[in-house]
Amino acid sequence: RVQPRHRANYRHRGVAMRIVIAEDSALLRAGIERILTDAGYDVDSAGDGEAALERIEDRKPDLVVLDLMMPGLDGWGVLEHVRTMEAPPPVVLVSGMHEVLPPGHLNPYVTGYVCKPFDISHLIKTCAGAIATQALVPASGERREARKTFLVETTLLSETGIPLGKG
């Protein structure tokens, strides 16, 4: 069970935030489901890509936690479908590979990564952060608002902490 210090109130207007998990390993799927349920989310899960698509269409989740390597329709195939949705949910990729880069056209739909094996608090924080992040590019490919430019003053430091440059 998630310790009470990890438990939060992941609700919007009194309703628990919905997460769909797609993971082919029954043991890992049950573990992720338990962790996120104990953290206060409304969780549904699927053991393969086809079942995940059904759950995503039926449940309209606030987040999808998606394993990449599944038999049949894999995580990339599920992500291809998610990108065609009118209001695509954010997606957190779960993978045993530490350097996973989605193809360029899918990159805007991935809002987080969790590498197996993972820390419980990291999973919860990644999911919370992904839900809090609005999708920047809707399925139409147009931005909801104009791109913003931020100027940040930065100091480049050496390994010993000596300033090397400012910008």
Side-chain angles (χ1 to χ4, degrees), residues 7-18 37 39-42 62 131:
R7 187 159 178 90
N9 188 11
Y10 297 106
R11 296 183 175 276
H12 178 69
R13 297 184 182 158
V15 177
M17 303 300 277
R18 290 181 305 275
T37 299
Y41 292 104
D42 176 15
D62 300 295
I131 288 174

Side-chain angles (χ1 to χ4, degrees), residues 52-68:
L53 290 180
E54 289 177 23
R55 306 264 186 331
I56 292 167
E57 288 294 329
D58 292 345
R59 300 283 317 245
K60 305 288 188 240
D62 300 295
L63 177 68
V64 175
V65 176
L66 182 61
D67 182 21
L68 288 176

Side-chain angles (χ1 to χ4, degrees), residues 20-25 28 32 46-50 52 64-80 82 91-103 106-107 109-116 118:
V20 168
I21 300 166
E23 169 63 58
D24 62 319
S25 164
L28 187 54
I32 294 172
D48 59 56
E50 288 84 4
V64 175
V65 176
L66 182 61
D67 182 21
L68 288 176
M69 305 303 275
M70 296 184 288
L73 183 65
D74 65 7
W76 297 123
V78 173
L79 194 55
E80 283 283 354
V82 164
V91 176
V92 169
L93 296 180
V94 178
S95 177
M97 299 177 286
H98 289 273
E99 292 186 24
V100 176
L101 295 174
L106 296 177
N107 197 34
Y109 303 93
V110 177
T111 55
Y113 296 91
V114 175
C115 293
K116 300 175 192 174
F118 54 82

Side-chain angles (χ1 to χ4, degrees), residues 25-47:
S25 164
L27 184 61
L28 187 54
R29 184 173 62 248
I32 294 172
E33 187 169 355
R34 178 73 180 260
I35 290 165
L36 295 176
T37 299
D38 285 353
Y41 292 104
D42 176 15
V43 180
D44 196 2
S45 62

